[in-house]
Amino acid sequence: MATPLGWSQGGSGSVCLAFDQLRDVIESQEELIHQLRNVMVLQDENFVSKEEFQAVEKKLVEEKAAHAKTKVLLAKEEEKLQFALGEVEVLSKQLEKEKLAFEKALSSVKSKVLQESCKKDQLITKCNEIESHIIKQEDILNGKENEIKELQQVISQQKQTFRNHMSDFRIQKQQENYMAQVLDRKHKKASGTRQARSHQRPREK
């Protein structure tokens, strides 16, 4: 912001200080003028020399001139002060608007953060539920796998038992075949002997 003419960089505080100082000067000058007037009244009542009167009169004129200059300066400072107060009011309104906008934006951000936090909590809860379900499913699968392993062991044992039975059955079958062959041979041998005997008997007659 541009600095107004005669406006010090110190801001409105410096203007107020200058204003107070000028007011004190004016009060002092008015008091001095009042004293000089009293002196002149006393001098009118009491006889004084011309030189003293002229000196007092000259002093009075100088004080009046200085007082007038001070009043002009005071008026300028008052104008600066009013301008500064106007700028302060404008800046205060602008600051209030910015404050309201900031509070609104902050409230919106807090609301979004709260919503996101709720979503995050919901997601965490859902993930925990899914994880718990997966753990249960894994436990079930592990149980099934153990059952399958046990069944495989039972089947393997049954297979081994079946193989043993088959081996015993083959041995038994082989034994039976062997016995059948032996019996068949004996039977054939016995039958051959009977036939030979039957052929020999007619010859003997």
Side-chain angles (χ1 to χ4, degrees):
M1 182 182 294
T3 304
L5 183 62
W7 176 262
S8 66
Q9 293 294 333
S12 58
S14 299
V15 174
C16 292
L17 180 61
F19 180 77
D20 292 339
Q21 290 176 348
L22 287 173
R23 187 171 57 189
D24 293 339
V25 171
I26 290 173
E27 290 177 356
S28 299
Q29 289 177 345
E30 289 179 348
E31 179 67 24
L32 182 58
I33 290 171
H34 181 68
Q35 291 177 1
L36 290 173
R37 284 178 178 172
N38 291 335
V39 170
M40 290 180 67
V41 170
L42 291 175
Q43 287 178 349
D44 289 338
E45 294 176 356
N46 301 316
F47 178 76
V48 293
S49 64
K50 183 178 180 179
E51 290 78 7
E52 291 178 352
F53 176 76
Q54 289 177 347
V56 172
E57 186 177 27
K58 182 179 179 182
K59 183 69 173 176
L60 180 60
V61 171
E62 291 175 353
E63 290 296 332
K64 284 183 177 181
H67 183 62
K69 290 180 180 180
T70 304
K71 280 188 174 183
V72 172
L73 183 59
L74 178 62
K76 290 181 179 179
E77 294 298 331
E78 284 180 344
E79 183 179 356
K80 293 178 183 179
L81 178 60
Q82 292 301 322
F83 179 76
L85 291 175
E87 285 191 334
V88 169
E89 185 177 0
V90 171
L91 291 174
S92 296
K93 290 180 179 179
Q94 182 66 27
L95 181 61
E96 186 65 23
K97 289 181 181 179
E98 291 178 356
K99 181 180 178 182
L100 292 175
F102 174 77
E103 289 177 351
K104 184 177 180 180
L106 181 61
S107 177
S108 177
V109 171
K110 285 183 178 180
S111 178
K112 289 182 180 179
V113 169
L114 182 60
Q115 291 177 359
E116 293 298 325
S117 179
C118 291
K119 288 181 181 179
K120 183 195 72 174
D121 293 338
Q122 291 175 356
L123 288 173
I124 290 174
T125 301
K126 189 172 182 179
C127 288
N128 290 334
E129 291 176 354
I130 293 173
E131 184 178 2
S132 177
H133 180 70
I134 290 173
I135 291 173
K136 290 180 181 179
Q137 292 294 326
E138 288 179 348
D139 291 339
I140 293 172
L141 290 175
N142 290 331
K144 295 293 184 182
E145 287 180 355
N146 291 331
E147 289 180 4
I148 291 171
K149 288 180 180 179
E150 291 176 357
L151 289 174
Q152 286 177 344
Q153 289 178 355
V154 171
I155 291 172
S156 178
Q157 291 175 356
Q158 290 177 348
K159 284 181 178 180
Q160 185 63 37
T161 303
F162 179 75
R163 289 191 190 99
N164 295 333
H165 286 329
M166 287 298 295
S167 178
D168 294 340
F169 178 75
R170 287 192 189 99
I171 293 171
Q172 184 178 358
K173 191 68 176 175
Q174 289 175 356
Q175 289 176 348
E176 289 177 355
N177 290 334
Y178 177 75
M179 293 297 294
Q181 290 175 1
V182 170
L183 291 173
D184 186 59
R185 288 173 187 172
K186 286 182 177 180
H187 178 72
K188 285 180 179 181
K189 186 176 181 181
S191 177
T193 303
R194 283 194 299 269
Q195 287 179 359
R197 287 177 180 177
S198 63
H199 287 304
Q200 289 176 359
R201 286 174 183 175
R203 291 176 182 178
E204 293 176 353
K205 292 179 179 181

